[in-house]
Amino acid sequence: MSEIAVVLPDGSELGVPEGATLEDVAYEIGPGLGDDTIAGKIEGELVDKATPVSDGDRVEIVTDQSDEYLSVLRHSAAHVFAQALLRLYDDAKLTIGPWTEEGFYYDITGVDLDEGDLREIEDEMQEIVEADYDIERVVYDREEAVAKYEDENEYKLDILDREADEAEVSFYEQAEFEDLCQGPHVESTGEIGAFKLLNISSSYWRGDEDNDTLTRVHGTAFEKESQLEEFLEMREEAKERDHRKLGQELDLFSIPTVTGPGLPLYHPNGKTILKELEAYGESMNEEYGYEYVETPHLFRTELWKQSGHYDNYVDDMFLLDVNDEEYGLKPMNCPGHATIFEQNSWSYRDLPVRYAENGKVYRKEQRGELSGLSRVWAFTIDDGHLFVRPDQIESEVNDIMAMINDVLETFDLDYEVALATRPEKSVGGDEIWEEAESQLESVLESANMDYELEAGDGAFYGPKIDFAFTDALGRKWDGPTVQLDFNMPERFDLSYTGEDNEDHRPVMIHRALYGSFERFFMVLIEHYDGKFPLWLAPEQVRILPISDDELGYAHRLKNDLEDADFRVDIEDRSWTLGRKIREAQDDRVPYMLVVGSDEAEAGTVSVRDRKEREQQDVELETFIDHLTDERDEKRKEPDFLD
């Protein structure tokens, strides 16, 4: 039997027989690891341990000590839910039930469920877990698999038709329950130590609103009860921090029905924060040599056909017919920037050329997927596009990663890095993609940066380095990105004159420091619980006169603070001081200045912060000097009273 080689996480190669599975690889490494194997990863994708490996595959073994084990356990919990559901509701029809970042869900139809039904299903699930049924993978040929669902479940038949392998199809069994599934799963139902069904929502089959409406049951699972309790506590905290709730309470934004779904309106408070974010990004762009450009919202679709977006993105575009010509709202800014570059003649000495634009783009997300600012139809990308010589790639990507690192440190966001490679739907030849992926991998390796490989998650035009950050509640979000593009320059026939006086093709780099303003703003609202740092806060100081007698002094203080470029309001309603303080606390104002007759007479202020700390007899000049430093250094918390 011939031998193939697989690549282990440390970069070493291991020879195994052709046709070997991930479990076989684990036993080749060592019998103990083989016994402990639950699943594995091939080219970054989590798969069943029975999956065959191919020559050159990057592989990783997953045991119950691996980070990925929780995803496997949650996938099995989804099957436990499905088994319990069918025991209680004979007419229920199953569709898909994957794991998610926070747990799992299962989409079902044929039965009407509400939140009150979840407890009974949970009780049945508990019996299945306590029974500790073995979870076993079984394989059928295609004909047998189709026969199991014929005239019974059109959704499973659709999966078989579109996605299942022609030769054999995997199912997973536990007691009387059997489900079409690629896995992976844990060894038995008893490994699910704690679980909870969370809520019910609606969904569309395959995410298409033209398809059937389904019921989606969300749940989560952990190895231990203590982990579940911690998660549920965090979830309650997340509800309190929900950006939609805080957006209304703090008057930041709204999405009224009259504007259309996914089209937010920013109120003065919200726009103030966005302007500060824009100014911060613009200051970095200026430091790193970017020039600002502007492109229209609407283009003829010839542009999108030339760029490749029309073939790969048309289902997500808003298209219009104007005088018998087809136009499209831009889903991305890059074709416009490539067109600007194309209209000039460039020498190798001119490169790199760096364009920046806070460009509004439009993507036709399914209505059922729209949610606050996290997923919208109209959003703004802090876009940057660079046109560079091949020898400039490493230094430019390193500079971009330094900018991104500064952003995430400024907002106190931990992050993880991933290299996303060629997706199934893409443009360009194998050689171009291999070169692009190799370049980004080289940059990450040279920087000694830890990163995950996300196979197939690249953009359709090139691979990318993605930064996923973690907020104060431990939740992960997609954020900044760096994308290498050898395809767009080809499609737009971009060129520069090299040192040899010949035409050469530049490399295009796409980058965003925030990702999109909307999603980043949403994350910041929840990350800070609306308690924005001084430099971002829409209202930085609120002056609280104890009585109307101090209003004149309050206005003089306001003028002095505004002259120093601070955002200040006076609470002049006829309330008690206690109520004024509580209102300012609820509004998350960083600093309050309490002024009574003593302060007015002495020309001082009493400073109070939102942490309920207070200091009296403060000179206004001293306070302004501190505010200036705190704002300019972008400190994360009010610290005058530290």
Side-chain angles (χ1 to χ4, degrees), residues 55-75:
D55 191 43
D57 279 347
R58 295 172 180 263
V59 303
E60 186 176 341
I61 305 303
V62 173
T63 70
D64 61 4
Q65 299 302 305
S66 304
D67 292 340
E68 294 80 5
Y69 176 69
L70 186 57
S71 296
V72 180
L73 182 144
R74 286 170 169 173
H75 194 188

Side-chain angles (χ1 to χ4, degrees), residues 121-135:
I121 300 171
E122 283 180 342
D123 290 343
E124 191 65 37
M125 289 175 67
Q126 187 61 42
E127 290 190 17
I128 294 168
V129 168
E130 290 175 356
D132 196 19
Y133 298 127
D134 289 338
I135 302 176

Side-chain angles (χ1 to χ4, degrees), residues 367-417:
R367 288 173 182 258
E369 296 176 348
L370 300 174
S371 177
L373 298 180
S374 64
R375 193 176 288 270
V376 291
W377 274 357
F379 57 97
T380 306
I381 301 176
D382 63 316
D383 242 335
H385 292 101
L386 300 84
F387 303 89
V388 306
R389 303 190 309 263
D391 63 288
Q392 295 171 324
I393 290 174
E394 184 166 349
S395 63
E396 290 299 316
V397 172
N398 276 328
D399 281 349
I400 293 167
M401 293 202 297
M403 296 169 76
I404 290 172
N405 184 64
D406 285 347
V407 167
L408 298 179
E409 285 192 354
T410 295
F411 295 102
D412 195 27
L413 294 165
D414 295 328
Y415 62 86
E416 296 175 354
V417 181

Side-chain angles (χ1 to χ4, degrees), residues 201-220:
S201 64
S202 62
S203 63
Y204 299 108
W205 174 238
R206 295 196 175 277
D208 188 338
E209 61 187 17
D210 292 331
N211 289 339
D212 294 346
T213 301
L214 307 173
T215 298
R216 176 168 293 180
V217 179
H218 301 261
T220 194

